[in-house]
Amino acid sequence: VIEWSSNNSSVATVDQSGIIYGNTEYFTTLQNITNQWLHYDDGSNKDGIGYTEGGEFDVAVIFPKESLQQYSGSHITKVRFFPKVDAPAEYYITIWEGANPPELIVIEIVENPNIDAWTEHTLSTPYPINVSKDLWVGYWIVDYPPDTYPAGVDFGPADTGFGDMISNDGGLTWGAMSLLDPPNLDYNWNLQAFVESGKGVQSTLSKSTPDTLV
């Protein structure tokens, strides 16, 4: 993207060599918007979340289609998250599209996750961002023991309905974790997606709301 402006007060001049100079033009080139991590969390881990009975559940963050137009033609190439519980728990990266409830598009098992640390998973096939539908990036946790808390979260507050979505029925119904009562868990998932194109400058985004996502 290029911004430019013209100094209309300038006039054409001729120097001693006979070269003619027109109005002075000023422009600013803006950093490419691709090759960056999209996320709502603050980058730090506070704790883990789980159901006391154990078993399985899904988590996700939502990037509304209105905020995705600038990523047309780009792909998600990797996802990172913060798992808190070791085997027998398993973790599967998921990508969903559409309104609530969304459609599952991608599911891939994460081999050898880093427990209690950021784990980065490269997708086997880059996912082309569909800018006509809401984008959900998440993971599915399977077979975690009772009274353990496998899904890492930040210190909050939550971007309610965007950074804190959860499902305990295989993705059929979703809700915002921060609206559960009880408890009121006012956090965002430690969950980030890397957007990539053929060119651009890599940068890590700070926590963004849908209105300010850049």
Side-chain angles (χ1 to χ4, degrees), residues 40 60-62 136 158-165 175-179 188 210:
Y40 292 99
V61 295
I62 304 174
W136 301 52
D159 282 290
T160 300
F162 298 99
D164 66 340
M165 299 301 288
M177 175 175 60
S178 56
L179 297 180
N188 300 290

Side-chain angles (χ1 to χ4, degrees), residues 170-181:
L172 296 177
T173 58
W174 292 82
M177 175 175 60
S178 56
L179 297 180
L180 296 178
D181 185 23

Side-chain angles (χ1 to χ4, degrees), residues 47-48 66 71-72 106-107 110 115 117 131 146 148 154 160 166 171-172 186 193 195 204 211:
D47 210 341
E66 292 80 9
Y71 302 110
S72 179
V106 175
I107 181 168
V110 179
I115 302 305
V131 299
T148 60
D154 72 358
T160 300
I166 187 169
L172 296 177
D186 194 20
V195 179
T204 301
D211 291 333

Side-chain angles (χ1 to χ4, degrees), residues 18-35:
I19 298 176
I20 299 175
Y21 295 87
N23 290 349
T24 303
E25 306 288 340
Y26 300 93
F27 68 92
T28 302
T29 58
L30 303 182
Q31 180 176 321
N32 196 289
I33 58 174
T34 50
N35 290 25

Side-chain angles (χ1 to χ4, degrees), residues 112-184:
N112 303 313
N114 298 319
I115 302 305
D116 207 26
W118 283 100
T119 292
E120 189 172 297
H121 174 81
T122 299
L123 297 178
S124 59
T125 302
Y127 160 79
I129 294 177
N130 182 352
V131 299
S132 67
K133 295 183 178 181
D134 295 344
L135 168 64
W136 301 52
V137 178
Y139 58 98
W140 176 38
I141 309 160
V142 184
D143 291 336
Y144 73 97
D147 298 314
T148 60
Y149 308 96
V153 294
D154 72 358
F155 284 77
D159 282 290
T160 300
F162 298 99
D164 66 340
M165 299 301 288
I166 187 169
S167 172
N168 64 358
D169 60 6
L172 296 177
T173 58
W174 292 82
M177 175 175 60
S178 56
L179 297 180
L180 296 178
D181 185 23
N184 181 16

Side-chain angles (χ1 to χ4, degrees), residues 92-96 103-108 123-127:
Y92 294 78
I93 295 299
T94 56
I95 296 179
W96 313 67
E103 177 185 4
L104 180 63
I105 305 297
V106 175
I107 181 168
E108 295 187 1
L123 297 178
S124 59
T125 302
Y127 160 79

Side-chain angles (χ1 to χ4, degrees), residues 18 28 32 38 53 67 79 81 85 94 103 116 134 171 199 208:
T28 302
N32 196 289
L38 300 182
E53 65 269 24
S67 69
V79 176
F81 67 109
V85 174
T94 56
E103 177 185 4
D116 207 26
D134 295 344
K199 59 183 179 179
S208 302

